[in-house]
Amino acid sequence: EKRYIPKGYREFKSHLHRIDYYIMSKIHELIPLDKPLVIFDLETTGLSLNMDRIIELAYVKIFPDGRMKKADMFINPEMEISEESSAVHGIKNKDVADKPTFKDLAQELWAVFQGSHYSGFNIVNFDLPVLRREFLRAGLDFDYHEAKIIDSKVIYNYMEPRTLSAAFKFYCGKEHYDAHSALADVEA
């Protein structure tokens, strides 16, 4: 049985698997670290922060001295994976049925994540809240609010603004003058 994986998704998803260790080994020189930096990504049963569960967790932990630890683990969510989610990441219920639960891995993951800084794509709005919920279900209070967070989606949105003016320039090749004037916005 073949999994449906959207074009380009495999390349995006495997970014943690194809990390150039030479570049990664330089991060601690580019960003002075007072504690480890955990760059991570999650795949989940769905998009609900409160209800859905983690089914894959991959990370690279960079220590202040430049050492690195890397892992990619599949997790039994103890619930069904929706067909819509499986269509995105390709992970099916049978793929995780015999894997450990998050609670089984909680202490190991606590040692990885606790007392670190965090980085990834959209981790502020999704990955960190989902991870916190999983830790709470396992009886551990993962509070990341005092940590430094580098969210590459925030950086991307800053570098490539998603505004009417940016869309007008992209699609029409023209500058949008008088932005936030109602008539000018309608005409754009």
Side-chain angles (χ1 to χ4, degrees), residues 55-145:
I55 54 177
E56 183 182 12
L57 187 154
Y59 70 86
V60 174
K61 183 173 185 174
I62 304 168
F63 295 87
D65 65 4
R67 288 179 297 118
M68 290 180 282
K69 179 180 178 183
K70 174 181 168 180
D72 187 3
M73 52 190 69
F74 289 88
I75 300 168
N76 181 333
E78 301 179 283
M79 68 181 291
E80 293 294 308
I81 302 169
S82 70
E83 288 183 25
E84 295 83 10
S85 292
S86 289
V88 172
H89 49 57
I91 303 168
K92 299 186 184 312
N93 291 302
K94 66 181 181 168
D95 299 328
V96 294
D98 63 343
K99 302 300 180 191
T101 66
F102 189 90
K103 191 170 187 175
D104 295 335
L105 298 169
Q107 290 299 323
E108 175 186 346
L109 291 170
W110 183 261
V112 170
F113 282 88
Q114 185 58 26
S116 297
H117 299 304
Y118 310 104
S119 183
F121 188 85
N122 198 29
I123 62 170
V124 169
N125 293 318
F126 189 74
D127 298 62
L128 283 167
V130 169
L131 186 60
R132 182 165 199 265
R133 281 269 185 212
E134 290 280 19
F135 274 122
L136 287 171
R137 286 185 192 106
L140 299 167
D141 187 8
F142 175 61
D143 185 5
Y144 55 85
H145 293 94

